[in-house]
Structure formats: structure tokens, C-alpha cells
Amino acid sequence: MTKRHSMNKRNYSNEDAQAALRLLDEPEQVQASAGFLRNLEQRLDEAAESPRGYVIPVPALGIALAVLLLINIISVTLFLQSTGGTGAERAGKLQRFSSEYAIENYSGYSAGETR
Amino acid sequence: MEELLKQLQAGDRDAFRQLAGKYQHKVVSTCYRYLGSQAEAEDAAQEVFIEVFRSVKRFRGESGLGTWIYRIAVNKCLDALKAKKRARRSSLLTVFMGSSNEHKRIAAPEQYNPAENYELQRRRDMLHEAMQQLPDSQKSALALVALEGFSYREAAEILGVTPAAVEGLLHRGKTALKEIIFKLAETRV
């Protein structure tokens, strides 16, 4: 164990344990110190001088993200349409082209011709 | 009280002084039960009052003003405890990485009040150390009912649960705390 760890650990006895539990049954009186209100006034003045930064509310952030997502989807769709259809359509075209190519080159039949 | 609330909502500093004067000891005391040091408790309590001052305009009176203030206090203290835990973790990391930020640590209770009886202080520390190992809900039930003397009904309003739930949390909390405290006494270094 390092020196730091042994310094942080305390040696508690059973007597300490009993006494600590008694503190729970007879709690001590705790009060604010004499300067508490004066310090509070000072901190309040400081807080008034430096207002909190603007916090974006969660619903507004959610709506903004949803709008961005929608714009993204629309622009991707438009792009795909301008370059020859959506992904599914292009995949279909590619499949048809490869089937025809295979039939013409390797089977001895021309495309569209069947046995 | 209604008049005081109106004045507070109008931003009246005198009304705020009156409110802080009325609740200062109870709020500091409540924070002490969570944080275990007078200095940290006063610091947290001041943040509580600043939050009260800032957000009293939004207070609709669904609960009593006092209940609302103690609810803010409980939340602030639980946040402060989480921040302390994070700071401890990161300071451990810097120890492993070869540098120390010991100077940044918050003053220990002994340093804050050196004349205090040593034995009493270590027992307070033991109780505090044990309470930190409880879940937040049990910790709050113990702090509010057993240590601060709030009734089940008052504590229930502050925590937003039923009085029966507070009773259950208190019972489980006390049982767990006893076990933790005796375990701490067993694990001598």
C-alpha cells in the first residue's frame, strides 16, 4: 500500500463504531457561522454581475436535430435521384445488367432468349 | 408567507435576506449531514440560496416554500457528493500518472476546525464515511429524518416519495449503515 493510501485510511475500533452509531441517535446541533449571511450577500452580488450563460432547452435541441436529420434525408434522396435513382433501384439495375452479361457471355444464349 | 413570496418573486433583496435568515441554520445543518464538513456545508448552502433567489420566480407554490428550499438543498448536496467522487477519481489518476493536485483539494474538517475534539471528529468522519456508501435515497432518508429531525411526511414531500417509502428507506438505511460501520471497524490497516 502506498504512503498516500495508508494516510487516507483510518483505524477505527469497535468503540468508534458504537460511538458513531450513537451520533445517529443523538445528532449534534449544526448552525451556520456568524459570517454566513454576509458571505451570501457577496456571492449573490457576484452572481448578479455574472449571469448564467444561455442554456439551450432540451426540446429545442431535439427539434433542431430532427430538422437537420430531415434536411439530410431530403438532400441525399435528391442526390440519388439525380444520379440515377435510389440505392435499391441502382442495385436492381446492376443485378439485371450482370445477369444479362453472364447469359450472353457464358451460356451461349443471347439476353432474353430461353431454352 | 404569501406576502414574502410575492416580494421574493419581485426580486426584493430585503425579503431574500429575511428568508435566508430564517432558513440558514436548517439548510447548513442539512447540507452538513450529507457533506460532513462545516465549510463544505456552508458553501453548498450558499449555492442553495443563490439558486432560490434565481428561480423563485418559477416557484408555483405546489409545495411549501421551505419544502422547496430543502429539496434544492438535497439535490445540491447529492451533486456536490458526485463532484467530490469525480475529483477524487481524477486525483487518483494524476497520482498514478506521476503528478499531484493535492493543493486543489477542499480543506479537510480537521483543518477547518483544529480545536475540535479529535475523538469526536474521527467518529463523525466514520459516520460520514459509512453514509457515503449508502444509496442516495437511503442516505437522504437518514440525513433528513434521523439526523435533521424532519417528520416522515416532511421528508416525503422533500424527496417526492410517500411517507411509507421514507419509513422503509430509513429502516433499510439504518440496517445497512450499522453493517458498514462495523465493517469499517473490522478492516483495520
Side-chain angles (χ1 to χ4, degrees):
Chain A
M1 184 174 283
T2 63
K3 193 180 173 191
R4 186 181 306 274
H5 281 109
S6 59
M7 274 164 69
N8 287 344
K9 275 262 189 220
R10 287 162 192 270
N11 274 327
Y12 293 121
S13 63
N14 270 334
E15 206 177 293
D16 288 327
Q18 301 280 2
L21 283 171
R22 271 200 301 278
L23 283 176
L24 196 67
D25 296 327
E26 301 151 18
E28 303 165 90
Q29 200 79 18
V30 180
Q31 290 209 323
S33 66
F36 180 80
L37 289 176
R38 197 178 51 245
N39 290 341
L40 177 61
E41 283 279 336
Q42 269 175 9
R43 282 182 71 167
L44 206 61
D45 288 338
E46 284 165 15
E49 281 166 17
S50 56
R52 283 188 288 193
Y54 183 71
V55 179
I56 301 171
V58 174
L61 197 67
I63 291 167
L65 282 175
V67 168
L68 275 176
L69 190 68
L70 198 67
I71 290 170
N72 200 10
I73 290 169
I74 291 168
S75 57
V76 167
T77 311
L78 287 174
F79 171 74
L80 283 174
Q81 275 175 353
S82 69
T83 55
T86 62
E89 283 165 359
R90 286 199 297 169
K93 274 183 193 170
L94 188 68
Q95 203 177 9
R96 273 197 304 279
F97 171 76
S98 7
S99 311
E100 283 167 10
Y101 184 83
I103 289 166
E104 279 183 7
N105 288 286
Y106 301 107
S107 66
Y109 294 100
S110 61
E113 195 180 337
T114 53
R115 265 174 210 268
Chain B
M1 193 58 111
E2 231 169 77
E3 189 54 39
L4 178 69
L5 182 61
K6 271 184 195 163
Q7 288 169 339
L8 283 169
Q9 288 179 330
D12 186 338
R13 283 287 280 264
D14 282 336
F16 182 72
R17 266 181 218 113
Q18 201 184 322
L19 181 88
K22 185 180 174 188
Y23 287 98
Q24 58 170 335
H25 297 303
K26 193 76 175 158
V27 172
V28 168
S29 181
T30 302
C31 291
Y32 179 84
R33 309 304 180 191
Y34 283 88
L35 303 170
S37 110
Q38 181 83 17
E40 287 174 62
E42 293 208 358
D43 192 48
Q46 288 185 356
E47 282 182 24
V48 170
F49 284 113
I50 290 170
E51 180 70 39
V52 166
F53 187 72
R54 278 174 161 163
S55 46
V56 74
K57 277 183 190 158
R58 293 197 301 270
F59 177 67
R60 295 277 162 265
E62 284 108 359
S63 62
L65 188 60
T67 305
W68 180 65
I69 294 171
Y70 295 128
R71 196 176 297 151
I72 292 175
V74 168
N75 290 333
K76 281 263 180 242
C77 292
L78 291 175
D79 287 348
L81 285 175
K82 278 186 200 120
K84 259 171 91 173
K85 227 182 238 180
R86 274 198 302 273
R88 209 173 301 142
R89 245 182 265 140
S90 72
S91 79
L92 264 178
L93 194 70
T94 51
V95 166
F96 286 126
M97 289 172 80
S99 71
S100 166
N101 65 348
E102 198 76 8
H103 60 285
K104 287 182 189 164
R105 292 171 73 179
I106 300 160
E110 288 87 354
Q111 289 163 341
Y112 182 74
N113 197 349
E116 210 144 34
N117 178 291
Y118 175 74
E119 285 300 309
L120 178 62
Q121 189 55 52
R122 58 190 261 117
R123 285 159 187 178
R124 278 184 196 138
D125 290 345
M126 188 185 197
L127 179 65
H128 178 66
E129 199 178 321
M131 274 184 71
Q132 296 323 302
Q133 296 182 37
L134 294 174
D136 285 351
S137 54
Q138 292 178 12
K139 200 185 296 168
S140 292
L142 277 169
L144 295 176
V145 180
L147 295 170
E148 268 312 295
F150 284 102
S151 67
Y152 287 150
R153 194 183 54 79
E154 288 167 329
E157 276 181 31
I158 294 168
L159 300 176
V161 295
T162 63
V166 173
E167 201 178 345
L169 286 169
L170 187 68
H171 178 72
R172 287 198 299 279
K174 275 187 175 176
T175 310
L177 191 77
K178 220 176 258 184
E179 274 176 30
I180 294 166
I181 281 183
F182 281 106
K183 212 173 272 177
L184 282 175
E186 277 169 22
T187 51
R188 293 177 182 210
V189 183

